Amino acid sequence: MSVKLIAVDMDGTFLNDNKEYNRARFAELYAQMKQQGIRFVVASGNQYYQLISFFPDIAHEISFVAENGGWVVSEGEDLFNGELTQQQFNTVIGHLLTLPHVYIIACGKHHGYTLRHYDDAFISMARAYYHRLELVDNFANLKDVFFKFALNLPDNLLDDTMSSLAGLFKGIMIPVTSGHGSIDLIIPGVHKANGLRILQEKWGIDNSEVLAFGDGGNDIEMLRQAKYGFAMANAPEKIKQIASYQTGHCNDQSVLDVIENVLKKEPPFNE
């Protein structure tokens, strides 16, 4: 079995700590991937509009599992949208607003929405990840398709908040970590692995033909589902333990190194 699909998380994986990647080297590898019939998929918790900005020349011909699987786009075509009901949205937002240390972004298909009164530092950070960000006075009467909430909070409150939210929102949303001081609330079953499954069904690709890279809690299902699940050296220990393989640090172009090995049919990709 050869690799037919390569899926990359972005922050802490494909991107280095400066939110950059070696574009010239990737362009060469991508040309070879196309020649060998290998699909390239960006699988990230980030907003679709932010993700396409990293691939201006090829966004129209690759696929995106954006918003942690909430929105799947292939070659510019919408394949899937998760969607909360209005009642579910109100239930979740009603509780989140009682948590004083939590900044909230409601992630919709057309925009991310956050509160105007939040401090400037948070809003500036949010704009880096949400190229379409609306500042609102409250979360009432927003007209959009909502599939995720992104939460920002102090690191020392992360574990306790994760535990309490998991219990409170059981059956509606599941909390996953997406980096330092951040939690994504995702719809149950609507994760990156589900997004990849949708694409795999479209293309007739088996899990044994999938290579995935990740470094965070929102990558767990994807790393387990893919035969070649690679955790980054900078990933937490629990992510390394569930992944079948490991590679180097995100600052060392390690994803590109592994892709090069795939193209050259080097171990473990020479079976």
Side-chain angles (χ1 to χ4, degrees):
M1 282 288 194
S2 58
V3 171
K4 293 183 180 173
L5 188 159
I6 296 175
V8 300
D9 171 53
M10 290 295 280
D11 296 302
T13 301
F14 191 74
L15 299 177
N16 63 24
D17 289 341
N18 295 322
K19 308 298 182 203
E20 296 167 348
Y21 68 97
N22 185 330
R23 294 185 183 229
R25 184 182 179 201
F26 173 71
E28 288 179 14
L29 295 175
Y30 177 68
Q32 294 176 53
M33 287 165 62
K34 283 173 72 173
Q35 284 176 347
Q36 295 189 25
I38 299 171
R39 304 275 186 173
F40 182 72
V41 181
V42 177
S44 170
N46 293 341
Q47 189 182 48
Y48 171 68
Y49 304 106
Q50 187 242 18
L51 296 176
I52 61 175
S53 74
F54 284 106
F55 303 95
D57 299 330
I58 60 169
H60 63 286
E61 62 182 44
I62 63 174
S63 300
F64 296 87
V65 175
E67 305 278 12
N68 274 336
W71 189 3
V72 181
V73 180
S74 179
E75 297 167 26
E77 176 195 357
D78 260 33
L79 293 187
F80 174 79
N81 289 132
E83 184 172 5
L84 291 166
T85 66
Q86 189 65 54
Q87 185 178 5
Q88 290 170 331
F89 180 92
N90 292 342
T91 297
V92 173
I93 211 76
H95 178 74
L96 293 178
L97 289 169
T98 69
L99 305 176
H101 302 296
V102 174
Y103 291 112
I104 306 161
I105 301 173
C107 304
K109 181 170 181 176
H110 301 294
H111 293 90
Y113 302 84
T114 196
L115 297 179
R116 198 184 308 280
H117 71 255
Y118 287 156
D119 67 55
D120 291 344
F122 170 74
I123 290 172
S124 294
M125 185 273 291
R127 286 199 190 282
Y129 293 96
Y130 292 84
H131 282 204
R132 292 192 184 181
L133 186 71
E134 292 273 314
L135 303 184
V136 294
D137 294 322
N138 57 65
F139 290 109
N141 304 314
L142 298 176
K143 301 296 181 216
D144 210 333
V145 175
F146 289 97
F147 27 60
K148 197 189 81 176
F149 292 93
L151 313 179
N152 196 269
L153 63 161
D155 277 354
N156 62 324
L157 300 177
L158 202 63
D159 290 344
D160 287 349
T161 305
M162 286 272 291
S163 300
S164 67
L165 293 181
L168 275 165
F169 298 145
K170 195 163 186 176
I172 304 176
M173 304 208 86
I174 295 171
V176 295
T177 55
S178 56
H180 294 290
S182 57
I183 295 172
D184 277 355
L185 291 175
I186 63 174
I187 299 168
V190 179
H191 41 55
K192 293 182 184 184
N194 183 63
L196 290 183
R197 180 188 58 75
I198 291 167
L199 291 168
Q200 288 173 235
E201 286 180 1
K202 175 181 170 69
W203 298 323
I205 294 175
D206 190 77
N207 290 342
S208 64
E209 301 168 310
V210 176
L211 163 61
F213 298 89
D215 75 312
N218 57 346
D219 298 313
I220 288 174
E221 295 88 357
M222 174 173 79
L223 292 174
R224 282 186 171 141
Q225 179 171 288
K227 176 180 179 180
Y228 302 105
F230 275 77
M232 307 303 292
N234 46 284
E237 198 55 43
K238 68 176 183 180
I239 307 301
K240 293 176 183 175
Q241 286 173 2
I242 65 101
S244 301
Y245 301 90
Q246 286 185 39
T247 186
H249 197 282
C250 67
N251 287 338
D252 298 329
Q253 300 186 35
S254 301
V255 168
L256 299 184
D257 289 344
V258 176
I259 292 175
E260 203 163 279
N261 290 343
V262 170
L263 294 166
K264 291 178 177 174
K265 305 276 194 295
E266 293 182 358
F269 309 112
N270 57 346
E271 297 167 9

